[in-house]
Amino acid sequence: MRLAIINDELSQDIDEAAAEAVRQGFGGLEIRSSGGVPPHLMDDAQLTAVRDAVTGRGLRVAGFDPPALKCALPRTDAETARVRDLVVDSVRRAELLGAPFVRVFTFYREGDPDPRTAARAAREVLDGVPADRVPLLVETGMRTNSPTMRHTLEFLDALGDDRLGILWDPGNSVFSGWDPAPFPADYETGRERIRHVHVKDPVGTAAYVRLGDGDLPWPAILGRLAEDGYDGWVSLETHWRVGRVLTQAQRDEPWGEEFTAGGFEASTTCMRRLRAMADAVAAPPTPATTEETAA
């Protein structure tokens, strides 16, 4: 597996984020906002500057995170067209960045999750979208119609498009309240379709905390990913800040200085912890001593 971090969890300065990723031994930056500009509003010159800052440090662009299908279910043809335009433009932007995927959601839910209704709307949106150029990955989203792996699989099965994979974010499943323990059962259900993993650590539905201090057994999760031969990105989405808690509005629209403030200290702490967890998984077991063998 390869380690990445979403850039604006560190800094709105892409050069600073890239430099810190290198210092922490990470291989990639997943791109969201930069320079105070949301991902879907950056112009081509800004996108090119982001790409060059990342690759110039020897890093890879690990993904592109626009707010695609992160909205209410479209009710009219005009609303469907607007959502489709964002997805089409996101694919174009991802190609310019050299990103391996575009992250999409399953619309904000109204009451209980309704993956099948979301899939019908998504089928209309995705009609004609060139998903074969840059893959689309559906995230297990905290406020969407796919908060858990079960809901995500139901959405994908109803959608009927095998080109789409899963971006597994177990932190969202916990924080949503729909699955307080998404590992190992939730993982087992959909592991063959996971193409990307987001790492953050919630305490129930209250807040995100320092990696390793929350409800998710990240060492065990990383160990299982390694056992299963997962070779994709494991990408830190810290969502924890020293001295403050992100608001729901900031989590819904995670871009700009208001979102990032305090993220550098929190994220570098979590990066060190994630690096140590990954190294422990990768390290061969220590041979038993003579005394241990005799015992």
Side-chain angles (χ1 to χ4, degrees):
M1 71 189 74
R2 298 169 287 172
L3 299 186
I5 182 169
I6 299 179
N7 67 294
D8 58 7
E9 294 283 354
L10 271 171
S11 176
Q12 286 293 318
D13 183 329
I14 191 65
D15 292 303
E16 182 178 48
E20 189 59 29
V22 171
R23 277 193 291 270
Q24 297 290 345
F26 278 44
L29 284 181
E30 188 172 338
I31 304 304
R32 199 159 53 197
S33 65
S34 180
V37 183
H40 56 301
L41 299 182
M42 284 190 275
D43 62 29
D44 285 5
Q46 291 168 321
L47 290 165
T48 299
V50 166
R51 180 197 65 201
D52 292 349
V54 174
T55 59
R57 293 274 185 175
L59 301 170
R60 299 285 297 275
V61 173
F64 182 53
D65 295 345
L69 280 67
K70 195 177 187 182
C71 58
L73 281 163
R75 302 297 185 187
T76 66
D77 289 345
E79 290 175 349
T80 296
R82 281 196 293 272
V83 179
R84 181 187 299 116
D85 287 346
L86 176 56
V87 178
V88 170
D89 189 57
S90 295
V91 169
R92 183 191 67 80
R93 289 167 183 269
E95 287 182 307
L96 181 56
L97 283 167
F101 68 84
V102 171
R103 184 273 311 276
V104 302
F105 289 96
T106 56
F107 306 108
Y108 286 133
R109 63 178 178 268
E110 302 169 2
D112 289 348
D114 188 353
R116 293 186 177 277
T117 297
R120 286 195 295 270
R123 191 179 302 115
E124 293 295 320
V125 166
L126 298 178
D127 183 35
V129 174
D132 54 337
R133 286 162 47 189
V134 178
L136 305 180
L137 300 187
V138 178
E139 180 166 345
T140 48
M142 193 273 287
R143 290 215 300 130
T144 71
N145 286 287
S146 56
T148 71
M149 184 69 78
R150 172 176 59 83
H151 293 112
T152 305
L153 290 170
E154 187 177 349
F155 170 84
L156 288 173
D157 289 345
L159 184 65
D161 190 335
D162 291 336
R163 297 174 301 175
L164 278 69
I166 293 174
L167 192 164
W168 186 47
D169 189 327
N172 282 343
S173 297
V174 174
F175 203 75
S176 73
W178 281 90
D179 192 343
F183 181 82
D186 210 31
Y187 168 77
E188 290 283 359
T189 303
R191 64 188 178 89
E192 294 182 357
R193 300 179 75 170
I194 293 172
R195 299 292 178 267
H196 191 80
V197 177
H198 276 175
V199 177
K200 51 184 183 277
D201 213 349
V203 173
T205 61
Y208 288 99
V209 296
R210 183 176 62 172
L211 183 64
D213 293 348
D215 292 341
L216 286 168
W218 278 109
I221 293 172
L222 295 174
R224 182 57 190 276
L225 288 168
E227 286 178 17
D228 288 346
Y230 175 75
D231 60 0
W233 292 101
V234 173
S235 190
L236 181 65
E237 186 184 21
T238 318
H239 269 27
W240 167 61
R241 300 290 183 266
V242 177
R244 73 186 184 99
V245 176
L246 295 175
T247 66
Q248 184 61 60
Q250 289 165 344
R251 291 192 300 269
D252 285 345
E253 297 186 350
W255 41 73
E257 290 291 353
E258 184 179 0
F259 168 78
T260 301
F264 191 87
E265 179 184 356
S267 291
T268 54
T269 298
C270 293
M271 291 172 82
R272 288 191 290 271
R273 288 191 159 210
L274 180 56
R275 174 81 271 172
M277 291 177 188
D279 288 347
V281 166
T286 304
T289 65
T290 303
E291 291 79 6
E292 290 171 333
T293 303

